[in-house]
Amino acid sequence: MAIQFYNTLTRKKEEFTPITPGEVKMYSCGPTVYNYAHIGNLRAYVFTDILRKSLKYNGYKVTQIMNITDIGHLSSDADSGDDKMTKGLIREGKELNLKNMRELAEFYTEKFKDDLKSLNIELPDGMYFASDYVQEDIDLIKKLEDKNFTYKTSDGIYFDTAKMPDYGILWGGKRIHDEKETRIEKNIEKKNPEDFALWKFNDQLGFPSSWGMGFPGWHIECSAMGIKFLGEQFDIHTGGIEHIDVHHTNEIAQSECATGKKPFVRYWMHNEWILFGNKKIAKADGTFLKSSDLKEKNINPIAYRFFLLMANYGSKMNFNWEALEGAETALNRLYRLYNDLGNTIGSVDKDYQERFKNFISDDLDTPKALALLWDLIKDENVPKADKKATILDFDKVLGLNFEHQSEIIKNEIIPKEIQKLAEERKEARKNKDYKKSDELRNEISKLGYEIKDSSDGYKINKI
Ligand code: AMP
Ligand code: ZN
């Protein structure tokens, strides 16, 4: 089956064919690094990881680029409100200057990379700080200026959307609709409500340019870096659904008007949100769930990955702790069943592989791929060694870390019943009741576990 993706640009599922046969170039909108990533952000990157891994599984060479937004992103995506990085500096009591801004960015970028690794997300081939490519932004804005797409107001250089007949193609092409008009904060100097800033003036802090000191707009950063690293036209662009109306619409406008080439990107793919208490999890909320909250509750981050794969990336998902714990229990069960398959790795079952490929190629249908994994594990007609090989093959895409995690589980997950007996034995030893202690040791061993005493307690292992 050919790969099919839902393309926001055409609003339908389409067969995927890259510009260069056998190679895929994709750009993923990265985080704004003024705070830790939250678990909603991490959905965006589990999605791109599955996308990238499934393309590789289908034999493509993939180049994935991600921006790290460390300048220019205002609290409203539509050029109003405070600068998010400045807010971060103020929150941390740091002086406002570019050096501190960069340090803040580097700190949260490292934390972000740790989060990605903990979820078994492969790092993109290139992750670039927007502040290192301001000249590229300026060059792109100059191109737009030369072609008469820009105008100046008291606070910046703006893109004149009326000059682009098909502006807004990503959200249906209807120009200036009422809902948008009321949502976008009024800026009376703008010629059209959708016009957006390419460069924002700032006398106190910023980068020099022929228009005056300031910052590039957030949208131009992604256009400039996309073009620099992937070319004037490339295959896939990803991001959360809230980017459709403004950020990605404006990326298309700037890029296509500057280069004269259409389409800037062939397939636009968007992940839906993670909700908590029916509300989008957002950094701006201040209190939000991060991967460290999972660790605090002793939940394996891979269980969160597994939880995400239970829904399609394009569906909304409600997060709650019970559901996550349920996912962790199911995942541990899978690990145990995998462990019970023995040590020999046989050959991949071709029939299961074909079915898996079909599901994953059908707009990344991970729920069906997981259901197939359960079917496989229960299928008595597939020899154990071949099952093991097939699970490892599926895991190239699912990234549930069967090879390593199941080893950890083998050593760490001790049934509650055994833990209870071990605690009773500890109590008996404390009371110097060695007869009872030995009886309990025997009972534990009959159930398949051995207990070893140490200076700071005991350790239980599966025999
Ligand atoms: P940010 O760091 O806020 O610029 O966001 C980074 C990525 O996370 C973007 O692609 C967002 O669309 C995505 N994102 C933000 N909040 C959520 C959420 N609650 N659920 C899913 N994705 C989100
Ligand atoms: Zn972007």
Side-chain angles (χ1 to χ4, degrees):
M1 181 183 147
I3 299 180
Q4 303 226 332
F5 292 137
Y6 180 82
N7 186 355
T8 311
L9 190 62
T10 53
R11 279 172 293 285
K12 58 177 194 280
K13 224 194 261 185
E14 287 184 342
E15 186 173 327
F16 173 73
T17 44
I19 296 170
T20 308
E23 280 184 37
V24 181
K25 292 194 159 68
M26 65 186 255
Y27 185 97
S28 302
C29 275
T32 307
V33 281
Y34 68 112
N35 210 329
Y36 294 98
H38 57 65
I39 60 169
N41 298 134
L42 296 175
R43 181 186 206 187
Y45 305 113
V46 167
F47 152 55
T48 61
D49 188 57
I50 292 283
L51 173 59
R52 172 187 166 135
K53 286 186 165 123
S54 70
L55 287 164
K56 283 187 175 175
Y57 189 80
N58 274 290
Y60 287 104
K61 176 178 177 287
V62 183
T63 307
Q64 183 193 15
I65 298 299
M66 187 186 287
N67 61 297
I68 300 287
T69 299
D70 60 342
I71 48 167
H73 193 177
L74 302 183
S75 54
S76 148
D77 289 349
D79 311 317
S80 60
D82 307 323
D83 171 66
K84 294 188 180 190
M85 294 302 293
T86 304
K87 260 171 74 177
L89 285 177
I90 294 170
R91 186 190 64 235
E92 302 201 354
K94 300 206 170 109
E95 200 185 316
L96 298 186
N97 59 47
L98 289 180
K99 184 174 162 283
N100 285 349
M101 212 174 244
R102 178 63 180 234
E103 272 175 23
L104 187 82
E106 284 176 0
F107 175 82
Y108 287 113
T109 301
E110 283 313 305
K111 298 292 168 203
F112 174 64
K113 284 187 187 165
D114 291 344
D115 285 344
L116 297 189
K117 284 182 208 146
S118 75
L119 284 166
N120 210 11
I121 296 170
E122 246 173 85
L123 293 187
D125 303 282
M127 288 173 99
Y128 302 107
F129 284 108
S131 61
D132 287 336
Y133 299 94
V134 175
Q135 190 54 50
E136 279 74 2
D137 299 331
I138 293 174
D139 294 346
L140 203 58
I141 301 169
K142 285 227 166 91
K143 267 193 190 166
L144 290 167
E145 196 176 52
D146 290 347
K147 293 185 172 188
N148 256 327
F149 283 104
T150 65
Y151 62 93
K152 188 174 170 184
T153 71
S154 58
D155 75 346
I157 304 295
Y158 280 77
F159 183 94
D160 185 349
T161 56
K163 299 247 169 90
M164 186 190 194
D166 59 351
Y167 175 82
I169 193 165
L170 209 52
W171 43 260
K174 191 172 154 234
R175 282 199 60 80
I176 309 170
H177 52 79
D178 299 341
E179 189 204 341
K180 272 180 80 69
E181 220 173 339
T182 50
R183 257 196 6 212
I184 294 174
E185 221 166 274
K186 286 253 181 309
N187 173 344
I188 48 163
E189 288 184 75
K190 287 209 294 197
K191 293 186 182 173
N192 311 285
E194 276 100 354
D195 293 356
F196 55 91
L198 297 162
W199 187 263
K200 272 248 169 166
F201 302 136
N202 189 327
D203 300 338
Q204 319 292 321
L205 184 67
F207 296 83
S209 82
S210 56
W211 308 287
M213 202 157 90
F215 285 101
W218 173 46
H219 319 306
I220 199 85
E221 295 172 4
C222 284
S223 287
M225 284 192 269
I227 291 171
K228 178 168 180 78
F229 294 106
L230 299 176
E232 292 182 343
Q233 292 180 292
F234 54 90
D235 302 301
I236 302 178
H237 196 312
T238 69
I241 50 146
E242 77 279 18
H243 293 340
I244 297 172
D245 283 17
V246 180
H247 184 51
H248 289 169
T249 287
N250 294 345
E251 269 190 55
I252 292 175
Q254 305 157 149
S255 309
E256 293 185 356
C257 292
T259 65
K261 291 187 184 153
K262 275 181 208 292
F264 171 44
V265 174
R266 289 161 56 123
Y267 301 86
W268 287 87
M269 295 177 71
H270 294 97
N271 65 280
E272 254 290 359
W273 292 338
I274 291 289
L275 310 173
F276 186 56
N278 285 325
K279 230 176 111 216
K280 176 184 180 248
I281 301 179
K283 274 185 210 164
D285 277 356
T287 52
F288 50 77
L289 292 169
K290 334 181 253 304
S291 71
S292 59
D293 294 307
L294 306 185
K295 276 182 211 130
E296 229 164 75
K297 287 195 181 256
N298 230 348
I299 291 175
N300 177 358
I302 301 289
Y304 180 57
R305 181 178 176 109
F306 183 69
F307 167 80
L308 292 175
L309 301 188
M310 288 157 104
N312 186 274
Y313 71 90
S315 328
K316 274 196 182 53
M317 255 191 129
N318 262 306
F319 176 86
N320 65 63
W321 290 107
E322 293 72 39
L324 181 60
E325 279 158 18
E328 187 174 43
T329 306
L331 181 62
N332 286 342
R333 178 141 183 264
L334 277 174
Y335 286 151
R336 269 196 288 277
L337 289 167
Y338 174 82
N339 276 326
D340 292 345
L341 296 174
N343 294 324
T344 319
I345 298 179
S347 38
V348 175
D349 184 289
K350 294 289 168 216
D351 174 49
Y352 270 100
Q353 187 182 47
E354 189 61 26
R355 282 153 72 193
F356 179 78
K357 217 179 211 175
N358 286 345
F359 287 144
I360 218 70
S361 302
D362 183 10
D363 200 26
L364 311 175
D365 196 339
T366 52
K368 285 211 181 117
L370 287 183
L372 185 71
L373 175 64
W374 284 106
D375 288 349
L376 166 68
I377 234 162
K378 288 184 204 145
D379 189 340
E380 288 175 3
N381 295 319
V382 180
K384 284 185 175 179
D386 292 356
K387 258 189 205 178
K388 210 163 172 160
T390 314
I391 293 170
L392 291 179
D393 183 64
F394 288 8
D395 211 31
K396 288 181 193 158
V397 178
L398 301 175
L400 297 173
N401 240 344
F402 270 93
E403 210 172 350
H404 306 293
Q405 292 286 327
S406 60
E407 269 306 305
I408 298 169
I409 288 295
K410 199 153 71 182
N411 295 328
E412 282 186 359
I413 298 288
I414 307 294
K416 290 254 173 334
E417 182 195 0
I418 306 291
Q419 287 179 30
K420 194 164 159 274
L421 291 172
E423 278 301 300
E424 277 176 33
R425 182 173 169 273
K426 188 175 156 193
E427 201 53 31
R429 276 168 61 83
K430 214 168 96 189
N431 298 330
K432 302 206 170 11
D433 184 352
Y434 295 114
K435 185 166 170 284
K436 187 167 179 202
S437 154
D438 284 349
E439 278 168 14
L440 286 162
R441 177 197 287 279
N442 287 342
E443 205 178 331
I444 289 169
S445 128
K446 269 190 217 143
L447 292 168
Y449 290 84
E450 67 172 358
I451 189 157
K452 282 193 184 133
D453 297 310
S454 60
S455 53
D456 54 353
Y458 58 82
K459 183 139 181 51
I460 319 171
N461 291 313
K462 200 160 195 261
I463 302 170

